[in-house]
Amino acid sequence: MNNSDPALFGSAPPKPSIWNDPFYRSLFFQFSAFVVVVLLGKYLFDNTTENMARQGIASGFGFMGSVSGFDVTSSLVKYSASSTYGQAFLVGLLNTLLVSAVSIFLATMIGFMVGIARLSSNWLIAKMATVYIEVLRNIPLLLQIFFWYFAVLRPLPSPRQSLDLFDMVFVNNRGLYLPAPVFDDLAIWLLIAVVVAIALIIFLTRWAKRKQDETGETFPLFLTSVSLLIGLPLLALLATGFPVHWEMPVLQGFNFRGGLTLIPEFVALTLALSTYTAAFIAEVVRAGIQAVPKGQTEAANALGLRSGVILRQVVIPQAMRVIVPPLTNQYLNLTKNSSLAAAIAYPDLVLIFAGTVLMQTGQAVEIIFITMAVYLLISLSIALFMNWYNKRMMLVER
Amino acid sequence: MSSLGNNAQYPVGEHPNWEPPVSNVGIIGWMKQNLFSSRLNTALTFLAIYLLYTVIPPVVQWVILDADWVGSSKADCTGEGACWVYINVWWKQIMYGRYPDAELWRVQTAYVLGLVGLIPLMIPNFPKKKWISAYLLFLFPFMAYILFYGGNLGLTFVETPLWGGLFLTLVIAITGIVASLPLGILLALGRRSNMPVIKTLCILFIEFWRGVPLITVLFMASVMFPLFLPQGVNFDQLLRALIGVALFSAAYMAEVVRGGLQAIPKGQYEAAQALGLSYWKTTFFIIMPQALKLVIPGIVNVFIALFKDTTLVSIIGLFDFLGMIQLVNTNPDWLSFAIEGYVFAAVIFWFFCFGMSRYSQHLEKKLHTGH
């Protein structure tokens, strides 16, 4: 109304009343939002402490030191029924990380293969890859885990009638048995050789880059690295007289002994997680390769670069810029999905900690808090890595 | 080179139009180009044919040729193949859980009421779509709730532990998406707001739920929610799971909506401000209609993910579609028929998810107007 007043025309706009001032308004809204959140938090906190006191549930993290009294089927560290809840937590966390790491590796392999196959000029291969992707990603993961576990692995024959591969790998309803390498004391030299090889490769990479920047000469870096990585450990093995031998699984009584045993829950979970995530990774890879304009390859060809160089120095770096962010997202999803282990009783963090330990101690708040914090921490570190990578790979524009 | 020689025999302009070589056209030409274009491709083609040959015939044999289709009990399954009698026998449980037989019409009526709203929405250029969406978002959930739960309007009360099967899966997925839409919109607006406190609160909320797996959310809903509430107040298991699912998907929804908001040019805000519209008027009459239209494919994708993720509620003791099949598989009479149940569930889920993902791709193409 005031704006149409001719007396005010041409002078500075009048100062709005405090109710209409955007600054005070925003201050008011923020303050009230903050108060509402704090009050809600206090309300929930009060209810929880009251409920816990009434039900006689202890609070605090003291339970982590008490004896757990349960055993687990598979553990990377020493664990028994007389270990503490803290150790049970560690067992669960390590099992989660183990199944995630193995599945991430397999999913990446399968995913890249299927993604490239989908762009194949071979019609049959491209169509098969499409069918793989469309079938696997449209069926719930839990259903796939159940399928592998209850429909494929459980009905396998008992240990005495195991299916075998060259009498070295055995599969039965108790698990998958693989030959395991056994290292003697001298095998430490093997480890040292690997470390030295990696250090040399890092040094060589830097040196080769500097040389190319200064003189333009290239160095066969890839071949040298591969031969270093294989050659040095092999040399170490020869020099120390092969301190490694393979231990075969052998049927003794009702079960196999020796070798590496993978429990069926682990096998089912790994199979389902890696094939399911591979379908998503395949789409990421396809999109990444298609995102590199054809003109890039043509321009590189016109400059006279060889096809191997074009692929390694022109196409892949540009495709990776598009692939890596969604790929890390898929890795993150896979890690979170590994919590479905609880459905088939693979002893992961959720089953052991948010399941068994929670049932025994009843300390729901602390345990759910720790479990969520662990997953949040994993998510956060992957997100940080992704931001760092994106910054590094970002196109430098004007 | 030789064709150049041949050309020499014809006067200029009188060269006949020859057919292309037989080996370059038709089915042979296609195969030459797409299957046997190089040595590697030929090898891959044979490998693929061999793979298909080892997989497809046994599967067809099991699923169709050797399968038993009719019957009413396990005794009718005599063949080597699949026992689809399983589906006949357990149909009601797999579809509706333990919902009373006499009341099944209520679920079916709600399905019809939902489809009546949904089908016109999917038809392009159908008139009055705004009203239909409003019906689906506000009126339909209310009607469905009365139909399913009962307790008034002369309907008998059906307690939630009796709900199950595909029906429960649909209830959880649809409630999750409908509840998460308004919450997601508010969170997205908050995250883009320039008030630091509200922005931080929204970011914390979104990133928390996106960072944890759904199963821990469901565990939290089933064991921690009862502790949060004052004495005497108690939710049933389904409601707790629904709250967990809604909060979880609201975070994902917020990110999708934020994507749409970011795509709206700044000029739209400035024009609205120049016209003297307030923040909420700008948001709801100018920005949201444009942003939401852009993110419909994204919302469908969130729904697909949520639909697949509802299977997780079976872990906290609700008998959804997959949970019901798991339950049937533990029935001593039907122990060796797990595969049939899983294949059936997989086919149903696949049709739902594949159909929706195709629909969302179609929308994406339609909405992509090429700027």
Side-chain angles (χ1 to χ4, degrees), chain A residues 1 165 205 270:
Chain A
M1 294 292 158
L165 196 68
T205 315
T270 310

Side-chain angles (χ1 to χ4, degrees), chain A residues 274-296:
Chain A
S274 49
T275 49
Y276 178 79
T277 315
F280 290 87
I281 292 181
E283 281 297 88
V284 167
V285 170
R286 180 186 64 92
I289 294 176
Q290 280 180 337
V292 180
K294 218 178 162 194
Q296 295 289 325

Side-chain angles (χ1 to χ4, degrees), chain B residues 279-300:
Chain B
Y279 173 79
W280 291 109
K281 275 187 181 156
T282 311
T283 302
F284 282 106
F285 295 115
I286 311 288
I287 306 302
M288 272 303 156
Q290 301 182 61
L292 284 185
K293 202 180 113 188
L294 284 179
V295 297
I296 293 175
I299 295 178
V300 177

